[in-house]
Amino acid sequence: MTNRSGRDLAEIRADFPILAEEHHDGVPLVFLDSAASSQKPQAVIGAIADYYRHTHANVHRGIHKLSEAATAAFEDARRKVRRFINAESRREIIFTRNTTESINLVAQSWGRSQLKPGDVVISTVLEHHSNIVPWQILAEEIGFTLRFLPVREQGQLDLAEYERILREERVRLVTVAHVSNVLGTVNPIAAMAEKAHDSGALILVDGAQSVPHMPVDVRALDVDFYAFSGHKMLGPTGVGVLYGKRDLLQAMPPWMGGGDMISHVSLDGSSWNELPYKFEAGTPAIAPVIGLGAAVQYLQELGMEWVHAYEQQLTAYALERLSEVPQLELFGPSAAKEKGGVAAFRLADHHPHDVAQLLDAQGIAVRAGHHCAQPLHHHLGVPSTTRASFYIYNTEEEIDALVAGLYETLRILG
Ligand code: C6P
């Protein structure tokens, strides 16, 4: 399958200036840590530089030409994001700082105003801390019950337990990752959304590891809220997105107060701006938003079907090659088709930090630790793992380098 732009991998790699740099003296960089944060193509770096050179002014405020140009560029990025995830209206696209802030927005606005003692919120054992902690903080304050769906053998959620809780308890919200950042499990969001809705509950999806890697259509999935980060999808840090169905967002109170989110302010009280501005208090991350728009355009030029297919091919190759390495235990689904582009593993009983450090000395950047998923690691029975993660600019040769690096690590550590 070729990508929409018809460009080959060497041309795609050439779009990412950092990939041409040496990692250590004379050692080329093999970047296998995109699940933590992806690299940026020149199209994104250039869009941000151009904005600062030619267009910078505050948005939604000025009537001078520069402010109007900045506002137009900012809102154009919102339209690009809307199209990218097929939201119905640009008013359903709220710019936040990241996935974490998007989830906290739902907790602090919808959750705080809707949840009562005795209500139930379902989350899962495989969540990133950002989809656990905001709910724990709120549950402690309000007194609702937080339930966590268990994870089965191959990293899949226990859907029988899901249906049981939905049937027997007063579930108001299901909050679940689309793709696990450790196991790579792809959760069946459309089916889970349908079941949640049949029980009168809403569903919030953490899309931090899905939107960058596969086509996502929020209307086809029929999700109520969907959160993701710009920096994992070729965009800059400092910008994330919360998608929410318009009628839900309309009914929700603002979370943060300040400039831009108001319609009228007097000393006796204030009224709120229309969507999405009601949830965007203060000067927004203008340059990062414009950079995110460029990232979305870059991904769309390749085509998300191609992005997904290429990553699956790469993941299948990685799983096969990693299975050859002695004493390597891989976590999560063993078939690439059921998995996002991540491979988390243990190498003998070596500490993942030692493994990552020895790989780093060979120019290979991977992540080691609990990956902000401590409850999942507790379930796996290990305190931490080493994780390699893949994106559009990675190659089979880089996976070969990882495997060779692991053999070398075994040789050194014994
Ligand atoms: N995971 C990782 O190395 P922020 O930090 O808000 O942009 O994204 C948080 C987040 C939420 N959900 C999932 C599934 C994630 O993977 C992440 C970020 C990175 O796995 C950094 S901890």
Side-chain angles (χ1 to χ4, degrees), residues 38 40 82 90 94 103 132 163 203 242 309-310 317 333 337 369 387 389 391 409:
S38 74
K40 320 301 171 198
R82 180 203 75 71
R90 71 175 187 90
I94 295 160
I103 295 171
I132 296 176
E163 289 183 40
I203 185 163
L242 175 67
Y310 179 65
Y317 183 73
K337 276 207 167 341
R387 183 190 67 186
S389 54
Y391 210 3
T409 303

Side-chain angles (χ1 to χ4, degrees), residues 287-350:
V289 164
I290 288 167
L292 176 59
V296 163
Q297 187 168 333
Y298 184 91
L299 285 169
Q300 274 184 323
E301 280 165 14
L302 293 175
M304 289 308 289
E305 284 79 12
W306 177 83
V307 168
H308 187 49
Y310 179 65
E311 276 183 44
Q312 285 215 318
Q313 180 189 319
L314 214 51
T315 306
Y317 183 73
L319 296 181
E320 187 193 317
R321 293 285 343 257
L322 288 171
S323 72
E324 296 164 12
V325 179
Q327 304 179 74
L328 185 144
E329 185 191 2
L330 196 74
F331 296 98
S334 51
K337 276 207 167 341
E338 297 165 15
K339 207 173 159 84
V342 298
F345 56 86
R346 295 279 300 193
L347 190 64
D349 56 1
H350 301 309

Side-chain angles (χ1 to χ4, degrees), residues 33 35-37 98-101 103 128 130 177 179-181 206 208-209 229 231-232 367 371-372 387:
D33 194 21
S37 196
N98 46 36
T99 306
T100 305
E101 188 173 292
I103 295 171
H128 186 276
S130 64
V179 175
S180 158
N181 65 324
D206 168 354
Q209 300 292 352
S229 296
H231 69 96
K232 293 183 199 288
R367 188 172 171 193
H371 317 300
C372 302
R387 183 190 67 186

Side-chain angles (χ1 to χ4, degrees), residues 400-412:
D400 292 341
L402 168 69
V403 170
L406 290 169
Y407 275 103
E408 176 65 4
T409 303
L410 278 175
R411 192 188 64 74
I412 295 168

